[in-house]
Each structure stands twice: as structure tokens, then as C-alpha cells.
Amino acid sequence: MSDVTMRIWRGDPAGGDFEEYALEAQEGEVVLDVVHRIQATQAPDLACRWNCKAGKCGSCSAEINGTPRLMCMTRMDQLPEGPVTVAPMRTFPVVRDLVTDVSFNYEVAKRIPAFEPPARPAEGYRMQQIDVERGQEFRKCIECFMCQNVCHVIRDHEENKPHYAGPRFFIRLAELETHPLDTNDRRELVRQRMGLGLCNITKCCTEVCPEHIKITDNGIIPMKERVVDASYDPVGWLGRKIMRRPKRSPEEAAAGSSS
Amino acid sequence: MVDYETHDYDVIVIGAGGAGLRAAVEAKERGLRTALVCKSLLGKAHTVMAEGGVAAAMGNVWPEDNWQVHFRDTMRGGKMLNNWRMAQLHAQEAPDRVYELEAWGALFDRTTDGRITQRDFGGHRYARLAHVGDRTGLELIRTLQQRAVHLGIDVFMECKVLRLLTDDDGRVSGAVGYWRPTGEFIAFTAKATVLATGSIGKSWAYTSNSWESTGDGHAMAVWAGADVIDMECVQFHPTGMVWPLSVRGLLVTEGVRGDGGVLRNSEGTRFMFDYVAPMFRAETAETEEEADAWYEDHINNRRTPDLLPRDEVARAINSEVKAGRGTPHGGVFLDIASRRTPEYIRRRLPSMYHQFMELAGVDITAEPMEVGPTCHYMMGGIRVDADTEAATVPGLFAAGEVAGGMHGSNRLGGNSLSDLLVFGRRAGIGAADFAEGRTGSPQLDDGQASAVIAAALEPLGRDGGENPYQLHHDLQQTMQSLVGIIRTGPELEQALEKLGELRQRADKISVDGGRAYNPGWNMATDLPSMLTVSTAVTQGALHRRESRGGHTREDFPTADPELGKVNFVQRQRVERGPDAPIEIGPEPLPQMPPELTVLFEEAH
Ligand SMILES: Cc1cc2nc3c(=O)[nH]c(=O)nc-3n(C[C@H](O)[C@H](O)[C@H](O)COP(=O)(O)OP(=O)(O)OC[C@H]3O[C@@H](n4cnc5c(N)ncnc54)[C@H](O)[C@@H]3O)c2cc1C
Ligand code: FES
């Protein structure tokens, strides 16, 4: 069998560089398999994150030939001929080799006010499938943080991080906003403290999402509209809200009406 | 002398899968100082992979369903080896735990009248699995994670626990571990400790489990002197992917066979017809014509043998491969392409279609899949009190896959996610009660902590020893070939001998590089757990001289009613030193009260 050459970034916060590893290709391997073989045979301390190896946990994000991808879902035989470059996600500080410090995301998560349903009626909450589906799309998120990684607002502007939540959390907020039972109104929060206005809709996040969530079209844009509506045109906002029926009153939701 | 940071809590929970998260939420809501420790990032635990759903007798689809029926299904599935009280609590409380997730924001799929819908699964009499498409585990873990974050629980992520600490009275009083990003050490003192560390699959070559499933919790409990039970009861799922390498062991859902897929050997024969055990003959089709007709007409035809219980199918596949009728990569063919239209396959099995397309380059609408048994789930584990999840050592609690008893010798699909919720909560309560009743703060025993740290550092200081990855590889080969799905006395004896050799080799490994995020070192610290657990599984398998559920002995092919009345309990007499052997012996199962035994007498 032919050989493959991997150029893997090795280093730590002090600096680093790409190192080359040559090994025999094996049929059907994904990038993560090759990284594991390098660990087992050539570089036992090569650091990378992974868990499920099935595209379900979002641990193994890296920049493969310059594009953010899950290492466990990227087949070697579908990459162009020639050396394969694997680098850590650029937006987050390096811990070691391919592992980055993603704690920024966990900090943002703490700032998001929790889901708040009305008291549970005796016969249980009722929701129609069609009303939960928008939220379900956002809840497919596996928190690989690749959308955060490619978002220009923080990728190129470290100074934006403290007041910008990023695409992952915009869809978290959108999910809560569209939840048929949620009673919290987070629009002011989104506008003032989550930095939604900084997003200029380049859709880079949507392009890299391994779950194919339409982050921009279904999450960010509708939320921008609502936030703007709410601050400049409360009546119009209300009208559109009703027309689009994104969210019913808790009483309605609990009663299960689907009008 | 190596430095380490220290933290004091009322309750520490080790493991942040469904069970650990639920336990931590409970302890925190009680107002206790609670820490949650996990060796990966928060939200990445193995629970995230669960697909099918969470079993709960809510009766939303079939009003006939109730906890008694669920209880009976669970006990039968476990071949009556289950702890009856756990199975009862599980069946009674699962619906409330699912509704609670809903109140915390989970969005389950709905019925037409707006309630949580439920799907059919093997062994469950009624459609009982609440689900979100085929990503139920993600929904469960994310909901609990968000709850935990909201409550402000202190989370120590990418922090790997190495050993539990005990005080002079033998009570568990904390734990020692290290931060994976930095390699710095950390010690906890805690009034109560909950283990929720999940599975053990990584000791086998073919497994559906993630890297975290190294049995650390099982092993740490043994090292602290706690009892473990039913360690021989390991579930092998019949259809894991076997090729390509990249996806070896990954799960192929039972739904493929449910929707018309059939198993064939290399000669193209539908071999399952040759493996119908006497007890299933009356209800199983004898010809391909009848089996095929069954899909359309369940009334006038009998079921296809491709859908026999998991253990039966797994054994049959194994026999075909051993007889030389396997595929080039050591599996059998699972063929739906020649039986259903491409449109049907893509519509009914979208995630399987994509899994094979993206990972294997196999178009399942055009070619057969290659599949074989994969190590999937650990029924055995830490012996706990059914109501409080207290282990046999004071101060220690266990919930989720690391605990034993609930599933007996075989788990039903969907019963694990419900187990995590029901017993995670109960473990949180048990630990909180214990913590509140414990007087004085546990003291940190620096001698113990430093000894653990010194042992962990040994491979880093050693030159010229073996590579830990090689040892792991050899362990996996040993367990796969000698303690796999079909077991025999002589092979198990041989496995014990090999495990002894591996333990000696493990004492001499060396690790390159430093302490910061070093996967080689991480592997080195996993090996002691994997070796301890593998030894317990092998010993249990050797002692259970019968076949029951997930445990199959070729030399004792039938169930022995006498052995159906006992658990094999294993325990290390820690007072005799760290090298004391793990002792094993039978102990009677807890006795089911008459009001429950009648459930098994009624005709159905
Ligand atoms: C592919 C697949 C599909 C499945 N589908 C279903 C299904 O549909 N329905 C169902 O009911 N069940 C299903 N199961 C089974 C179910 O997912 C598991 O049994 C369950 O998730 C185990 O949960 P847990 O909380 O016990 O442990 P896990 O989720 O495995 O979590 C273990 C936790 O412990 C931590 N940990 C381990 N060791 C240490 C240590 N030394 N130090 C610190 N932390 C540690 C880990 O980091 C992790 O956070 C499936 C399993 C697989 C593999
Ligand atoms: S390892 Fe889980 S997504 Fe890649």
C-alpha cells in the first residue's frame, strides 16, 4: 500500500511547528485513525481530543488542510493527494499539539439564563411536534465549537470575546426563544450582552457545522429580526411573532392548542 | 515529594455521563457543596452516543402499559438475575424522571395529541422508549448539563481520578487524580463520594464504547474494598461494524433487521435458520418464504430468525465465522440492499445510510454491510443497596453503568438511560443523606495521596520499558479472543494466566514526554483499571458454569437453575495489602416478595 504523509502541528502555548510523519496508508481510515497510529508507533505523547469516534460528541475538531472538521468523520481517501495538514483550532489558545483551551465556551454557557417553563399542569405539558422541531434542529448541536472557531468576530478579534457569545450560543438562545414552554424573555440580553449585533452574517458558521444546522438562516437572522423589532417597533414585533407562531403563551402551550 | 492542590466538598461525583450529572444535580439542589469530576470535557461522556431512547412506562402510546409490565420485561430480559428491588424502583420511577427532563428543557418527539411519543424496542412488551429521533443520549446529556451549569455546580473537567482515599475506619473520604491539560495533581476530601464512571468496553478489541470506558470506577471500588457483582455479564451486541478499521465496533442498529435486512455468510446462505434454539422454534419461521412473508403479515407467518434475541444472534455469527464462512474481515454480511429499494432504505434508516456512506464508503442501498459482535454494555458492577445506591464500603455510592444488579445477566435496550436517571437521582439523595449525617470533615491522608501520585509517575521516570499502547493492544487481543462472546473453561484459565503476565509487564512500562496532555501517560494510568476489571470479568466467567443472558459457556451451554439463584460476588481484602487477590464466591440473590412473584405466574 502507498504511504501517507501527515503534517501535524506540535507545540504548546510557548510555540510550535508542523512535524512530518510518514506511515503506510490503510484502507478506509479517517484522520483520527492515522493520528492514533502515530501515537501508538511514533509519537506516544501526541495530544488530541476524541471520545466517540462517530461524529456524536464533538471532541475531535481540528483544522484539516486549513478547514475545520471533525477528525473522526474525515476520511483520508477523500482528501486531495499529498501531505495532510492537521492543526489545532486557531481561535482558542493551544494547550498542547491539537488540543485547545475551549473554556471560553463553557464560560459563555454560564451566562445564559436557564429555561423556565410554567408549572406543570396535572395532565402534563402538551406540545405539538411541529412546534418542537425548530428547537430540535438547534439541539442537534454537538458542541464541537467549530462555528465559534470560524466566526470572524472572535477569530480575528480577541478583544470581542468578553461581550460576544458566538454562533453556538446564538442558536442556544434561539432554541430557548422558540421553545414552546419557555417563559423567559431574553431579547434585551441578546442585544446588549451577547453581542448579536456584531454578527455580520457571513455564514461561515453554517458552512462548517457537522450537524448541518442552518445556524444563520434559522437561528441568527430570525433572532436579529426579533431583537430589532422588539426595541424599535414593539407592536410590529408582536404582530410578526403571532404570525410566525414561534412561541405561544405558556397557558396555550400547556393546554396543547396548536393554532 | 510532588505538590498537589486540595479541595473539600460535601459530595463529589466522579463521572459526568447521565448518571453522574443527575446525582450531582440532586446533591446540589439539597444545598450541599458538590463537585462533579470527569476525565473529558463536560457534555462529551459516552451517554452522548445513545440513540434509541429511554424506557419508561408512561403509557402515552399504549395506555395498557404500567410499571408492573416494565418490571416484568426487565426481569425476564435479565434472566431473573436482576436485583428485584432495583428493577421495581426503576420501572416505577422512570416516567417521573423523563417528565422532569422535559421540565428542564428537553424536547422529546411528540404524539399527535402533543404528549411524549414512545417507540418499540426489543424485549419491551409495549412501545415504551421516549426519544428524540436517533439522538436521545445527546438530548439527555445536554439537558442535564445545562441544569448542572444553571445550579452552579463546580465542574472539574479533563480531570482524571486515579484512586479513592479511605480514612482509618475504612470509610471512603475523597479521591486523588490529575488535571489532564497540565498533569498537575489534585486531591479531594469529601463526606460522600459517588462513582458514575460508566463502562469497561475498552479492554476488548471490538467495542461500541468510547475511550473513557476503561472501568476506572469498577476498579477503584475494588481497590477500596467494595464488592462487585455479576462481572461475567457483559453484553455483546450482534451487529457492530467490522470494516474498515476506522469504524470497527461501531454500532449497527437492530432496525436494519427490523426493516428487512438479513444475515448471510460468505456462501450467501441465510444461516440464522440453522441456529433456532428449541425454546424459540414454535414462534420462528422455518423457511425463507415464511420469514419474508412475516414482514407483511405477522398473523399468518412466524418471525424471521434474523430477529432472535441479541445473545442468540451474536452466538450464531460467531459460529459461522469460526466455521470459516465469515467475510474477509471476520464478520458476516448484513444485506438489505438486495431486499429493499434504495428509497425505502434511505427513508427508514437515514443515519445508518450516512454512517456507512461517510465512514465506510459503503452504499447500503447497493452492497451488503459487514458486521460482527461488538462489546457493548456492562451489566455487572459495584454492589449497591437498591434504595440508596450505597456501596458496601461506607461513604461510597455508585450509579449508572458502573453499578451492578439492575439488569441481571442481560440489559434491554432503552433501560440504561432510564437507569441513569432513576439511580443517579437516588445516589445523589443517598450521598447527600450520608454527608449530612457524617460528623466532622474527613482529613486528607497525605501519605495515601502521595503514594498514589508516586505510583502514577513511575512510568514517566522509567526508560527503555514497553510502550503502554502495545500493552493495551495485547490486553484487547487477550480479552477478545479468550473472554469474548463464547467462553470455555480452558480458555478462561489461559486468559487469567495471560492477565497475570500483562500485570507484570504493566509494572515495567515507560512513557515518553511530560505530564501535560500526554495521551501515552493517560493510557499508562488506564492500564491498572483495565487489568483489574478484566481479571474480575474472567474470574466471574470461570465461576459461572452455565450460560445465562450475556454470559455463554460452550462447555456449559444451558442455564443452571441453581446458579440462577446466586450472584458471584468479588472483593479484594484490602486489609491484606494492595496485592491481595480478588476473591470470588456465590451469594444468594435478594428474595422477591410474593406480591411481585405473582407477576411472573400470570399467563401472558
Ligand atoms: C452506541 C451506543 C448506543 C446506545 N444506545 C442506548 C439507548 O438507545 N438507550 C439506552 O438506554 N442505552 C443505550 N446505550 C447505553 C448507554 O448509553 C450507557 O450505558 C450509558 O450512557 C452509561 O452512562 P453513565 O452515566 O453510567 O456513564 P458514561 O456516560 O459512560 O459516563 C462516564 C463518565 O465518567 C467519567 N470518568 C470515567 N472514569 C473517570 C475517572 N477515572 N476520573 C474522572 N472521570 C471519569 C467520564 O469522563 C464520563 O464523564 C448505548 C450505548 C452505546 C455505546
Ligand atoms: S470523536 Fe466524537 S465527534 Fe469525533
Side-chain angles (χ1 to χ4, degrees):
Chain A
M1 264 222 166
S2 65
D3 285 349
V4 287
T5 304
M6 304 295 287
R7 298 184 65 240
I8 300 183
W9 195 89
R10 304 287 317 262
D12 56 29
D17 208 345
F18 288 93
E19 265 181 46
E20 274 197 12
Y21 302 91
L23 59 175
E24 207 174 77
Q26 285 186 4
E27 193 185 334
E29 282 190 315
V30 291
V31 171
L32 185 60
D33 290 310
V34 181
V35 170
H36 282 162
R37 278 204 289 138
I38 293 171
Q39 284 179 334
T41 55
Q42 305 185 28
D45 63 340
L46 165 58
C48 82
R49 269 199 193 102
W50 68 286
N51 259 31
C52 68
K53 233 183 136 302
K56 290 183 177 163
C57 72
S59 301
C60 65
S61 315
E63 301 196 358
I64 300 170
N65 288 343
T67 308
R69 302 182 70 162
L70 297 175
M71 287 191 277
C72 73
M73 295 300 282
T74 306
R75 281 169 59 97
M76 291 293 292
D77 56 14
Q78 284 166 7
L79 294 170
E81 295 267 319
V84 174
T85 306
V86 189
M89 286 192 285
R90 201 185 85 193
T91 302
F92 306 114
V94 165
V95 173
R96 228 170 69 78
D97 304 341
L98 301 177
V99 175
T100 56
D101 175 359
V102 291
S103 54
F104 163 71
N105 302 291
Y106 289 93
E107 290 307 315
V108 178
K110 289 183 193 166
R111 307 207 317 256
I112 295 191
F115 169 68
E116 256 180 54
R120 186 168 186 268
E123 70 284 4
Y125 297 118
R126 298 285 177 103
M127 292 180 260
Q128 295 303 311
Q129 182 65 30
I130 189 171
D131 292 324
V132 301
E133 265 164 16
R134 177 52 54 82
Q136 285 183 331
E137 178 190 3
F138 302 136
R139 286 180 76 82
K140 286 196 304 191
C141 171
I142 58 174
E143 299 206 323
C144 64
F145 304 128
M146 292 197 294
C147 59
Q148 304 284 82
N149 178 48
V150 292
C151 181
H152 300 289
V153 178
I154 41 181
R155 188 175 175 96
D156 303 318
H157 301 278
E158 183 67 27
E159 70 280 7
N160 281 336
K161 278 187 181 169
H163 49 266
Y164 186 73
R168 188 302 167 237
F169 297 97
F170 294 146
I171 60 161
R172 165 72 175 137
L173 287 159
E175 165 213 320
L176 288 164
E177 275 289 290
T178 54
H179 196 302
L181 295 180
D182 186 50
T183 58
N184 260 340
D185 184 345
R186 299 176 182 74
R187 279 168 290 141
E188 272 313 290
L189 165 96
V190 169
R191 198 168 64 89
Q192 294 187 353
R193 287 195 284 129
M194 295 288 165
L196 184 68
L198 289 174
C199 163
N200 47 16
I201 321 187
T202 52
K203 299 200 183 184
C204 304
C205 49
T206 303
E207 270 164 36
V208 297
C209 178
E211 289 294 316
H212 309 293
I213 301 169
K214 296 208 168 56
I215 301 175
T216 325
D217 288 351
N218 291 348
I220 294 178
I221 293 176
M223 206 158 51
K224 273 181 178 267
E225 285 172 3
R226 283 204 242 173
V227 167
V228 171
D229 290 351
S231 31
Y232 300 114
D233 177 13
V235 177
W237 169 78
L238 192 68
R240 259 184 297 263
K241 192 176 158 106
I242 290 164
M243 292 300 291
R244 267 201 325 252
R245 61 176 235 165
K247 192 166 184 172
R248 292 169 299 160
S249 74
E251 301 74 53
E252 266 181 305
S257 82
S258 60
S259 58
Chain B
M1 194 68 203
V2 179
D3 269 355
Y4 55 90
E5 61 183 82
T6 60
H7 300 266
D8 181 59
Y9 284 95
D10 296 323
V11 175
I12 61 168
V13 178
I14 303 169
L21 279 161
R22 188 62 191 81
V25 162
E26 198 65 25
K28 183 72 182 179
E29 283 184 336
R30 281 270 292 267
L32 298 184
R33 294 173 305 134
T34 305
L36 182 61
V37 191
C38 52
K39 62 183 180 178
S40 287
L41 294 173
L42 187 63
K44 309 294 182 197
H46 181 71
T47 296
V48 90
M49 298 175 75
E51 296 167 359
V54 39
M58 301 187 286
N60 287 355
V61 174
W62 291 91
E64 294 84 346
D65 202 10
N66 58 41
W67 75 261
Q68 284 93 340
V69 187
H70 191 184
F71 167 73
R72 195 176 48 212
D73 290 346
T74 301
M75 292 294 301
R76 281 196 176 146
K79 306 279 163 21
M80 304 303 283
L81 205 62
N82 321 49
N83 176 315
W84 68 266
R85 176 68 179 154
M86 290 178 89
Q88 180 191 28
L89 290 170
H90 167 259
Q92 288 174 330
E93 295 177 4
D96 283 348
R97 297 288 77 75
V98 172
Y99 287 129
E100 179 177 77
L101 285 184
E102 184 175 54
W104 292 345
L107 285 172
F108 289 101
D109 288 348
R110 320 303 296 183
T111 61
T112 46
D113 65 349
R115 292 185 289 179
I116 294 176
T117 192
Q118 303 186 266
R119 71 157 49 117
D120 273 312
F121 235 60
H124 292 282
R125 187 174 170 87
Y126 298 111
R128 190 178 279 149
L129 271 67
H131 59 275
V132 185
D134 57 3
R135 56 163 191 86
T136 314
L138 173 65
E139 189 71 9
L140 188 142
I141 207 164
R142 201 65 84 230
T143 305
L144 290 172
Q145 170 186 353
Q146 283 158 354
R147 182 82 187 159
V149 168
H150 170 61
L151 291 171
I153 293 171
D154 291 349
V155 181
F156 295 74
M157 51 179 129
E158 299 203 305
C159 179
K160 178 172 170 181
V161 177
L162 295 164
R163 290 288 280 232
L164 300 174
L165 296 171
T166 45
D167 65 15
D168 294 341
D169 310 333
R171 289 182 300 186
V172 170
S173 56
V176 186
Y178 67 92
W179 289 106
R180 295 177 62 224
T182 59
E184 297 296 326
F185 289 95
I186 175 167
F188 297 90
T189 45
K191 292 178 180 166
T193 302
V194 180
L195 285 171
T197 48
S199 194
I200 67 164
K202 272 295 154 187
S203 295
W204 281 263
Y206 294 69
T207 177
S208 62
N209 292 184
S210 76
W211 75 264
E212 297 194 297
S213 302
T214 50
D216 297 354
H218 290 84
M220 287 192 281
V222 168
W223 300 332
D227 290 0
V228 290
I229 61 171
D230 301 338
M231 293 296 282
E232 63 279 12
C233 299
V234 180
Q235 183 173 73
F236 290 82
H237 194 290
T239 58
M241 293 173 79
V242 296
W243 186 254
L245 264 184
S246 67
V247 286
R248 193 169 71 173
L250 204 71
L251 207 64
V252 180
T253 175
E254 230 164 64
V256 177
R257 282 171 285 141
D259 287 340
V262 294
L263 295 163
R264 295 184 198 275
N265 62 21
S266 58
E267 294 162 5
T269 307
R270 286 175 64 178
F271 58 85
M272 281 309 300
F273 288 96
D274 304 331
Y275 293 91
V276 185
M279 70 177 295
F280 297 110
R281 270 191 204 133
E283 61 202 63
T284 308
E286 282 167 54
T287 63
E288 296 192 14
E289 291 70 33
E290 184 181 1
D292 288 349
W294 171 83
Y295 287 99
E296 301 303 327
D297 175 3
H298 283 25
I299 308 294
N300 295 307
N301 301 285
R302 289 170 296 173
R303 221 175 151 78
T304 174
D306 292 287
L307 282 171
L308 283 169
R310 278 181 187 178
D311 47 340
E312 307 286 330
V313 181
R315 276 191 294 270
I317 294 175
N318 199 71
S319 304
E320 285 297 302
V321 175
K322 267 201 175 159
R325 292 188 292 271
T327 64
H329 304 106
V332 294
F333 292 113
L334 174 57
D335 168 30
I336 191 166
S338 75
R339 297 173 49 82
R340 295 288 183 267
T341 63
E343 296 70 41
Y344 177 90
I345 297 168
R346 274 196 293 265
R347 182 164 51 83
R348 301 282 296 202
L349 300 161
S351 67
M352 280 302 115
Y353 175 75
H354 286 290
Q355 180 170 315
F356 274 89
M357 202 58 153
E358 283 177 37
L359 291 172
V362 168
D363 178 355
I364 67 169
T365 67
E367 357 166 23
M369 299 160 246
E370 277 186 78
V371 297
T374 180
C375 179
H376 186 55
Y377 184 86
M378 180 57 173
M379 274 78 67
I382 300 170
R383 185 188 211 176
V384 291
D385 170 66
D387 287 77
T388 62
E389 311 337 301
T392 53
V393 171
L396 185 64
F397 298 78
E401 204 167 332
V402 72
M406 162 63 208
H407 306 284
S409 64
N410 179 49
R411 173 183 69 96
L412 296 185
N415 268 1
S416 172
L417 293 185
S418 41
D419 164 355
L420 310 182
L421 298 171
V422 168
F423 296 107
R425 171 176 164 275
R426 283 187 164 269
I429 296 172
D433 287 345
F434 185 89
E436 282 172 352
R438 185 166 174 163
T439 45
S441 270
Q443 296 304 304
L444 184 71
D445 178 344
D446 177 61
Q448 272 184 59
S450 295
V452 174
I453 292 170
L457 287 172
E458 270 176 25
L460 279 169
R462 202 180 284 125
D463 280 333
E466 243 185 300
N467 169 341
Y469 295 98
Q470 183 60 45
L471 210 76
H472 181 220
H473 175 82
D474 293 355
L475 169 66
Q476 288 184 319
Q477 295 308 318
T478 301
M479 295 306 285
Q480 187 72 37
S481 61
L482 301 175
V483 200
I485 170 162
I486 312 287
R487 298 148 179 190
T488 70
E491 285 187 349
L492 293 168
E493 301 273 11
Q494 204 187 332
L496 280 180
E497 210 171 291
K498 289 217 168 185
L499 288 167
E501 289 163 23
L502 286 168
R503 267 197 303 276
Q504 293 188 349
R505 282 167 58 192
D507 287 341
K508 300 191 202 78
I509 52 170
S510 46
V511 166
D512 289 343
R515 276 154 59 184
Y517 225 112
N518 182 344
W521 185 40
N522 189 64
M523 173 66 76
T525 63
D526 283 343
L527 285 169
S529 309
M530 289 195 275
L531 287 164
T532 294
V533 170
S534 298
T535 303
V537 170
T538 310
Q539 290 192 157
L542 195 57
H543 278 74
R544 188 167 282 283
R545 290 151 72 97
E546 64 159 352
S547 294
R548 181 178 298 275
H551 169 67
T552 305
R553 285 283 298 262
E554 201 169 58
D555 40 357
F556 299 96
T558 54
D560 175 344
E562 288 309 307
L563 288 175
K565 296 177 187 158
V566 298
N567 293 121
F568 281 97
V569 179
Q570 305 195 50
R571 177 183 314 136
Q572 189 176 29
R573 302 272 205 91
V574 282
E575 65 279 8
R576 301 190 180 164
D579 295 326
I582 303 170
E583 295 173 15
I584 179 164
E587 290 185 31
L589 289 175
Q591 212 47 54
M592 194 188 292
E595 68 268 23
L596 292 180
T597 50
V598 296
L599 292 174
F600 297 90
E601 287 151 16
E602 293 162 12
H604 281 279

